[in-house]
């Protein structure tokens, strides 16, 4: 079993340059996932100089770890949005997701991208009485605006009390999609890998993005980095929470033509993937990041459940996390005259990432976009109790990391030590070499937990991840946790 996503294993990665000098541009896009590349794609034919940078390799983040579904049947989100706002808002969100699917298909077909796009029926389903009500309510919202049909089963033998089926939805390989776009635009857009933006500073009419080996002066900046590391005074950490899930891909003989996700507390997401071999991909154990601190145990529980349900021959196992908003809709748009952001996809960033690219490019080109207002990051989200809940959760997770920093699941090869009042994390590798790092996330000072699956130090509050030598590999932190050697 490989400890990586099936998508990451499916492309030979191109190598893009690392920035080594100062440059300037009209638009700097920070982040090379589906959001960053969709934005770059929609801007490629303008006379603007566009630069896209990724702090690591392109498309190694959440996009590479998703289930790759392009669907508007997104659990019970439509009902939740209707309950917070009204039916019109919920229908507008539905229409935005349909538009995103149309755009995805258009990009793929016009550029002949080989990304295993496949038309499949998609389902939401339930095995509970409360779930039946959610399915029926979703049906009521979309029945006049889609060809969705109520059913009592799924095309697979699995306990199901009610389902909702639609047939104008797709699945694809998200990493091949992003690499395909990169290939299409690479002569018109400057792409840099291993170029992490540490901070952004305003100088006259320009924003200066500082990286290790060079600065980028940009007239406009798009934060497409999943978690916008540039936070204050917009308080995004206090308006969002993070959810993590575990995924597996198992080889099977016969792949089916559908994808599904339930609306129950114990989440189960299903899809198939046909390439040279055939796979079933499952995701489960969706929970707030703070409840997933003991990663190895959670992962094993999730794998055990999925194996016993549907998936005996596991070839890949990985995890992913996404940013949740209180009103279940993304934050996409302008936050200042020259600063744009896209995040908070509530685990539906394949559609929302592509749509964000379109919205932001329209805003940059001063064109109208019918969804810009809906996703405005400065909107007044109406779900105050949820925002309070997020903050209690965030506060708890911060305190928990401090109280429980020496978690009892550490084995002999991982230690937390305190020296002169400072906490360090130590990992001893297979060759008995000691790797010592600071045990505090530079982002918001949470203490870090060791993740045995990926051999990384992870932040249980906001999802930053560092390798055993302290190099940051996943934000929001922009800084390493290395100990500087003194002579
Ligand atoms: C279990 C699970 C399953 C999912 N399945 C689906 C699905 O089937 N369909 C769907 O629609 N959505 C799905 N999603 C949601 C989707 O995966 C995400 O919403 C989406 O991938 C986010 O894309 P992104 O481009 O914003 O972020 P990312 O793909 O994470 O890209 C951000 C990039 O920014 C870079 N970066 C970060 N900080 C910096 C910095 N300081 N400087 C430079 N670069 C930086 C990172 O290296 C990264 O490459 C799923 C989510 C989860 C958790």
């Amino acid at each position: 079993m490989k400890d990586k996503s099936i998508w990451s294993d499916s492309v030979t990665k191109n190598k893009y340059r690392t920035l080594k000098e100062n440059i300037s541009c009209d638009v700097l896009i920070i982040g090379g996932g589906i959001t960053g590349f969709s934005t770059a794609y929609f801007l490629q034919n303008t006379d603007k100089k566009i630069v896209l940078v990724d702090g690591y390799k392109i498309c190694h983040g959440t996009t590479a770890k998703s289930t790759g579904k392009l669907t508007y049947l997104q659990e019970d989100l439509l009902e939740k949005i209707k309950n917070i706002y009204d039916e019109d808002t919920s229908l507008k969100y539905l229409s935005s997701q349909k538009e995103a699917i149309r755009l995805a298909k258009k990009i793929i077909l016009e550029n002949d991208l080989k990304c295993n796009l496949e038309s499949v029926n998609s389902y939401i389903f339930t095995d509970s009485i409360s779930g039946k009500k959610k399915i029926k309510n979703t049906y009521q919202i979309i029945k006049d605006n889609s060809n969705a049909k109520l059913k009592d089963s799924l095309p697979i033998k699995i306990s199901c009390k009610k389902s909702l089926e639609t047939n104008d939805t797709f699945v694809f390989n998200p990493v091949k999609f992003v690499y395909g776009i990169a290939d299409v635009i690479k002569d018109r857009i400057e792409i840099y890998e291993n170029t992490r933006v540490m901070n952004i500073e305003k100088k006259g009419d320009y924003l200066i993005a500082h990286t290790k080996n060079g600065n980028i002066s940009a007239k406009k900046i798009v934060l497409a980095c999943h978690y916008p590391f540039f936070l204050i005074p917009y308080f995004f950490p206090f308006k969002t929470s993070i959810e993590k899930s575990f995924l597996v891909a198992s080889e099977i003989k016969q792949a089916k033509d559908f994808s599904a996700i339930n609306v129950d507390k114990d989440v189960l997401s299903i899809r198939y993937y046909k390439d040279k071999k055939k796979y079933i991909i499952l995701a489960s154990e969706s929970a707030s990041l703070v409840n997933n601190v003991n990663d190895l145990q959670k992962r094993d529980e999730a794998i055990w459940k999925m194996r016993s349900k549907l998936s005996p021959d596991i070839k890949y196992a990985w995890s992913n996390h996404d940013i949740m908003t209180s009103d279940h809709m993304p934050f996409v748009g302008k936050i200042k005259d020259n600063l744009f952001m896209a995040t908070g996809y509530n685990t539906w960033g394949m559609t929302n990432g592509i749509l964000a690219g379109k919205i932001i490019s329209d805003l940059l080109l001063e064109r109208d976009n019918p969804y810009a207002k809906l996703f405005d990051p400065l909107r007044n989200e109406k779900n105050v109790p949820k925002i309070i809940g997020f903050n209690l959760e965030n506060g708890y997770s911060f305190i928990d990391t401090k109280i429980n920093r020496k978690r009892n699941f550490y084995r002999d090869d991982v230690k937390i030590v305190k020296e002169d009042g400072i906490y360090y994390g130590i990992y001893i590798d297979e060759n008995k070499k000691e790797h010592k790092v600071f045990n505090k996330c530079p982002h918001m000072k949470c203490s870090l937990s060791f993740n045995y699956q990926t051999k990384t130090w992870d932040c249980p509050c906001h999802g930053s991840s560092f390798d055993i030598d302290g190099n940051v590999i996943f934000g929001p932190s922009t800084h390493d946790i290395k100990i500087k050697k003194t002579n």
Side-chain angles (χ1 to χ4, degrees):
M1 183 174 83
K2 293 186 185 176
D3 276 331
K4 54 151 77 171
S5 95
I6 187 167
W7 318 124
S8 305
D9 213 23
S10 67
V11 288
T12 321
K13 296 205 167 174
N14 295 337
K15 288 262 184 292
Y16 291 94
R17 287 172 288 174
T18 298
L19 185 71
K20 292 212 169 106
E21 71 268 298
N22 294 343
I23 56 170
S24 62
C25 61
D26 292 305
V27 180
L28 167 65
I29 299 166
I30 304 174
I34 197 160
T35 305
F37 273 99
S38 299
T39 309
Y41 178 86
F42 291 116
L43 289 172
Q44 65 174 316
N45 292 323
T46 61
D47 56 0
K48 298 190 185 307
K49 181 178 172 191
I50 317 285
V51 171
L52 182 151
V53 297
D54 198 291
Y56 202 69
K57 296 188 193 83
I58 63 162
C59 205
H60 85 289
T62 45
T63 302
K65 297 170 194 157
S66 74
T67 42
K69 297 177 192 168
L70 290 163
T71 180
Y72 54 85
L73 283 185
Q74 303 174 350
E75 303 142 275
D76 53 346
L77 285 202
L78 291 171
E79 189 199 5
K80 284 178 171 159
I81 294 169
K82 181 186 160 191
N83 291 344
I84 294 168
Y85 295 100
D86 49 39
E87 186 153 327
D88 276 358
T89 311
S90 183
L91 286 173
K92 193 130 205 216
Y93 181 78
L94 170 67
S95 138
S96 75
Q97 301 307 292
K98 288 185 158 194
E99 172 61 4
I101 296 171
R102 188 190 72 77
L103 289 170
K105 216 173 126 190
K106 189 164 182 277
I107 296 172
I108 293 168
L109 298 180
E110 277 181 7
N111 297 288
D112 193 23
L113 302 187
K114 306 274 182 276
C115 59
N116 305 82
L117 180 73
E118 208 191 320
S119 165
V120 295
N121 287 2
S122 81
Y123 293 81
I124 49 173
F125 71 100
T126 183
D127 192 29
S128 69
I129 303 291
S130 57
K132 264 173 101 167
K133 209 169 156 210
K134 290 181 189 171
I135 303 266
K136 285 184 182 162
N137 289 346
T138 303
Y139 175 66
Q140 284 306 321
I141 295 169
I142 69 173
K143 68 179 184 346
D144 297 332
N145 292 280
S146 74
N147 44 19
K149 290 188 198 93
L150 278 175
K151 297 212 155 180
D152 295 318
S153 62
L154 285 177
I156 187 173
K157 276 196 188 131
I158 166 172
S159 192
C160 171
K161 288 198 167 64
K162 197 64 133 190
S163 67
L164 187 60
E165 176 203 68
T166 190
N167 61 7
D168 47 355
T169 51
F170 298 83
V171 287
F172 70 158
N173 176 331
V175 172
K176 285 192 191 173
F177 174 76
V178 169
Y179 272 79
I181 293 186
D183 217 35
V184 169
I185 64 176
K186 68 176 187 295
D187 295 333
R188 283 178 291 264
I189 309 272
E190 280 182 32
I191 302 171
Y192 296 92
E193 290 182 314
N194 298 309
T195 303
R196 180 163 299 279
V197 175
M198 317 290 276
N199 57 50
I200 298 169
E201 162 194 40
K202 192 163 174 7
K203 246 192 191 163
D205 289 343
Y206 278 83
L207 290 170
I208 317 290
H210 296 272
T211 79
K212 234 178 226 165
N213 302 314
N215 297 336
I216 308 166
S217 310
K219 286 186 188 148
K220 316 246 169 178
I221 289 186
V222 179
L223 296 168
C225 43
H226 191 232
Y227 197 116
F229 58 89
F230 176 72
L231 314 158
I232 309 293
Y234 301 101
F235 302 109
F236 286 109
F238 306 103
K239 293 162 92 180
T240 54
S241 87
I242 301 186
E243 232 173 81
K244 179 168 182 173
S245 300
F246 295 87
L247 302 95
V248 293
S250 300
E251 214 175 312
I252 46 164
K253 291 211 171 66
Q254 214 70 51
K256 294 184 186 260
D257 294 327
F258 80 96
S259 78
I261 188 159
N262 66 359
V263 295
D264 301 327
K265 201 162 169 272
D266 200 1
V267 174
L268 179 66
S269 168
I270 308 167
R271 70 158 282 190
Y272 295 84
Y273 177 53
K274 295 178 207 153
D275 201 38
K276 288 183 193 111
K277 295 180 178 167
K278 299 182 184 75
Y279 296 89
I280 181 169
I281 297 170
L282 304 173
S284 88
E285 290 295 297
S286 200
S288 148
L289 201 57
V290 67
N291 295 322
N292 267 315
V293 172
N294 191 341
D295 221 76
L296 201 64
Q297 187 188 327
K298 281 273 174 193
R299 179 193 87 136
D300 288 348
E301 280 168 16
I303 288 182
W304 184 84
K305 271 192 205 160
M306 290 188 266
R307 180 176 277 142
S308 60
K309 268 191 186 138
L310 283 167
S311 186
D313 187 14
I314 296 174
K315 298 288 184 210
Y316 297 89
W318 69 100
S319 61
N320 199 12
H321 62 265
D322 208 14
I323 298 165
M324 319 299 280
T325 61
S326 67
D327 63 1
H328 313 282
M329 290 193 291
F331 292 136
V332 177
K334 198 190 255 196
I335 43 177
K336 256 189 174 179
D337 292 345
N338 41 10
L339 195 61
F340 298 75
M341 67 175 272
T343 191
Y345 297 152
N346 299 285
T347 76
W348 295 102
M350 300 295 103
T351 42
N352 282 309
I354 293 168
L355 192 66
K358 181 74 176 103
I359 294 173
I360 289 179
S361 65
D362 283 343
L363 292 174
L364 282 164
L365 300 172
E366 294 178 6
R367 291 185 195 142
D368 287 339
N369 184 292
Y371 305 107
K373 200 161 164 242
L374 188 68
F375 294 166
D376 183 351
L378 303 178
R379 69 181 173 268
N380 177 15
E381 304 128 76
K382 291 214 172 131
N383 202 356
V384 176
K386 190 98 185 168
I387 296 179
I388 294 170
F390 283 169
N391 282 298
L392 290 175
E393 203 174 74
N394 287 341
Y396 166 77
S397 92
F398 177 80
I399 293 164
D400 183 61
T401 67
K402 301 290 169 200
I403 295 172
N404 291 325
R405 65 173 94 222
K406 291 189 180 184
R407 285 168 200 281
N408 58 9
F409 54 85
Y410 285 131
R411 305 183 304 200
D412 290 347
D413 51 358
V414 176
K415 286 187 207 131
I416 305 281
V417 295
K418 190 176 177 186
E419 290 167 11
D420 299 329
I422 297 171
Y423 283 95
Y424 298 93
I426 299 173
Y427 170 67
I428 301 161
D429 69 20
E430 308 77 49
N431 304 318
K432 305 273 174 262
K433 186 174 171 217
E434 207 175 77
H435 302 259
K436 188 172 172 184
V437 295
F438 288 114
N439 187 257
K440 196 192 270 180
C441 181
H443 172 232
M444 288 185 84
K445 315 299 174 212
C446 293
S447 300
L448 303 167
S449 298
F450 194 73
N451 180 334
Y452 280 101
Q453 187 186 2
T454 47
K455 299 266 187 305
T456 50
W457 290 97
D458 292 352
C459 171
C461 306
H462 305 103
S464 296
S465 192
F466 307 84
D467 70 16
I468 50 173
D469 294 314
N471 299 299
V472 60
I473 48 177
F474 206 83
S477 174
T478 52
H479 289 80
D480 300 334
I481 50 167
K482 280 179 184 175
I483 299 167
K484 285 202 185 82
K485 297 229 161 47
T486 47
N487 295 323

